[in-house]
Amino acid sequence: MFAVYAESFSTDDPLSGLVVGEQPDPAVPDGWTTVTVKATSLNHHDLWTLRGVGLGEDALPMILGCDAAGVDEDGNQVLIHAVINDPSWRGDETEDPRRSLLSERYQGTFAERVAVPRANLVPLPASLSFEEAACLPTAWLTAYRMLYVRGGLSPGQSVLVQGAGGGVSTALITLARSGGLQVFATSRNEAKRARAREIGAHEVFETGARLPERVDAVMETVGAATWNHSLRSLRPGGTLVISGATSGPNPDSTELNRIFFLQLRVIGSTMGTSRELARLVSFLDATGTKPLIDRILPMTEAREGLAAMNDGDVFGKIVFTRR
Ligand SMILES: NC(=O)c1ccc[n+]([C@@H]2O[C@H](COP(=O)([O-])OP(=O)(O)OC[C@H]3O[C@@H](n4cnc5c(N)ncnc54)[C@H](OP(=O)(O)O)[C@@H]3O)[C@@H](O)[C@H]2O)c1
């Protein structure tokens, strides 16, 4: 079948190991099913995979992609929850120590077909297109859990989103605004700051600029480049939720004194549960909120999308279609 996959890893030139070609159909273990992929979306995770982060050489060749919306074996329109659990796991899927994401241990979604556990299928409402739905399982679910589960935010509170342009960040801005929060955002790029305002940020700032007031919570995916600013932007007792470290995991200062003296809470967050994915779908259905799509490309043009993300030339989600 057609597939976009990693055949080797490179830290400095991640696209060098990318192949747009053919791979065998996926194996379908007991309790799993096959979904015909109609749309999928790109995540920074796919660049990490091409850099060899999160999987070893023995996993190659690995079909990329965590997200997909498509049609199941019974003809139902579905989206896929990307967290794959050990069959014996019960409870919050994100806390399973043996969990993986599609494209880490099991072949991913940048293909004609993908195999997933039946329990990972979520019905697709008529209000969302395949392209919109394909944005949800990783970036949008991560943003939902950061704000409303791990962050515990309520309408009327304030939040700072670091690095406005990314897939997770644009989801954070949109979901925060739809949920009644006061939204601040930063970006390195003036055009992206203007776009952030258009999609719901009340105020936008250059990366690292002082805010007019301290916020209840900061949503952090940038990592080392913004960590100090994030901690300095919190009110006493405020909460920093982190789900990624694109610019690196080791900030100049960890700000330990500030964390204890101001009684800040630093909370990790990863993906979300299938129940939260279903709630996110309901949230969008009820509010009419739509995922922000940067561009839609045929899956055969996956290299173009990955190059744009590698260059930071993205505002919202890059979607690949297979028709
Ligand atoms: N834990 C999880 O479950 C989970 C799930 C999804 C994503 N993630 C992680 O979250 C991160 C973002 O993912 P994504 O798919 O949204 O990636 P993306 O679309 O490539 O976005 C990257 C973001 O990082 C910002 N950025 C990058 N380098 C920066 C720097 N040096 N200084 C300031 N800002 C910088 C960009 O902001 P501007 O260009 O606007 O400045 C942009 O918002 C990745 O590290 C990813 O692995 C984790």
Side-chain angles (χ1 to χ4, degrees):
M1 65 173 182
F2 174 83
V4 178
Y5 60 96
E7 72 169 2
S8 60
F9 302 133
S10 169
T11 311
D12 300 330
D13 183 12
L15 270 69
S16 61
L18 180 75
V19 180
V20 177
E22 295 279 323
Q23 281 292 293
D25 267 51
V28 187
D30 274 357
W32 288 46
T33 187
T34 306
V35 171
T36 300
V37 177
K38 295 291 185 189
T40 174
S41 79
L42 183 57
N43 292 290
H44 215 94
H45 186 276
D46 303 304
L47 278 177
W48 294 128
T49 301
L50 287 163
R51 291 192 175 104
V53 177
L55 70 175
E57 300 270 351
D58 55 340
L60 295 174
M62 177 57 76
I63 300 174
L64 299 173
C66 303
D67 296 339
V71 178
D72 72 8
E73 287 171 353
D74 301 321
N76 302 308
Q77 300 194 349
V78 293
L79 66 159
I80 294 173
H81 183 224
V83 181
I84 309 297
N85 289 108
D86 187 85
S88 65
W89 180 256
R90 300 288 175 271
D92 184 321
E93 293 104 308
T94 63
E95 292 176 8
D96 173 4
R98 287 200 283 266
R99 75 181 184 278
S100 68
L101 282 189
L102 284 171
S103 78
E104 289 176 352
R105 196 175 307 146
Y106 301 101
Q107 297 293 332
T109 57
F110 291 2
E112 279 178 75
R113 286 174 291 283
V114 59
V116 291
R118 280 182 196 286
N120 285 51
L121 300 186
V122 173
L124 179 61
S127 58
L128 288 174
S129 67
F130 285 124
E131 289 81 358
E132 289 162 347
C135 300
L136 304 184
T138 300
W140 277 66
L141 177 60
T142 299
Y144 177 88
R145 183 172 171 93
M146 288 175 78
L147 289 165
Y148 298 118
V149 182
R150 303 292 287 158
L153 286 166
S154 308
Q157 291 193 285
S158 58
V159 65
L160 167 65
V161 177
Q162 296 281 21
V168 177
S169 307
T170 50
L172 284 164
I173 293 168
T174 312
L175 287 173
R177 182 65 186 249
S178 301
L181 301 173
Q182 182 77 19
V183 186
F184 300 122
T186 66
S187 176
R188 299 165 292 176
N189 176 293
E190 191 176 339
K192 289 188 188 179
R193 291 195 291 276
R195 296 287 314 276
R197 204 186 271 278
E198 282 167 24
I199 64 166
H202 292 91
E203 291 192 62
V204 291
F205 303 90
E206 266 182 64
T207 304
R210 192 190 176 97
L211 303 186
E213 61 192 73
R214 293 214 162 100
V215 291
D216 293 310
V218 178
M219 300 295 124
E220 177 62 86
T221 60
V222 177
T226 50
W227 180 256
N228 302 85
H229 180 257
S230 291
L231 288 167
R232 289 196 197 116
S233 300
L234 281 172
R235 67 157 172 80
T239 303
L240 186 158
V241 183
I242 175 161
S243 75
T246 306
S247 62
N250 298 310
D252 292 340
S253 159
T254 47
E255 306 273 3
L256 294 181
N257 287 348
R258 179 173 289 271
I259 291 172
F260 73 74
F261 192 67
L262 295 181
Q263 303 189 80
L264 306 179
R265 297 193 306 150
V266 176
I267 295 182
S269 192
T270 265
M271 297 295 286
T273 65
S274 55
R275 196 162 176 218
E276 287 156 10
L277 180 57
R279 284 188 183 159
L280 167 63
V281 168
S282 298
F283 183 124
L284 300 189
D285 201 32
T287 58
T289 307
K290 299 282 189 189
L292 181 73
I293 296 176
D294 172 287
R295 72 197 83 174
I296 299 176
L297 298 169
M299 211 188 284
T300 46
E301 306 299 321
R303 183 176 293 275
E304 181 185 328
L306 278 150
M309 177 169 275
N310 197 33
D311 294 343
D313 174 24
V314 57
F315 194 87
K317 293 289 290 174
I318 296 176
V319 171
F320 301 138
T321 53
R322 180 84 198 157
R323 297 284 182 192

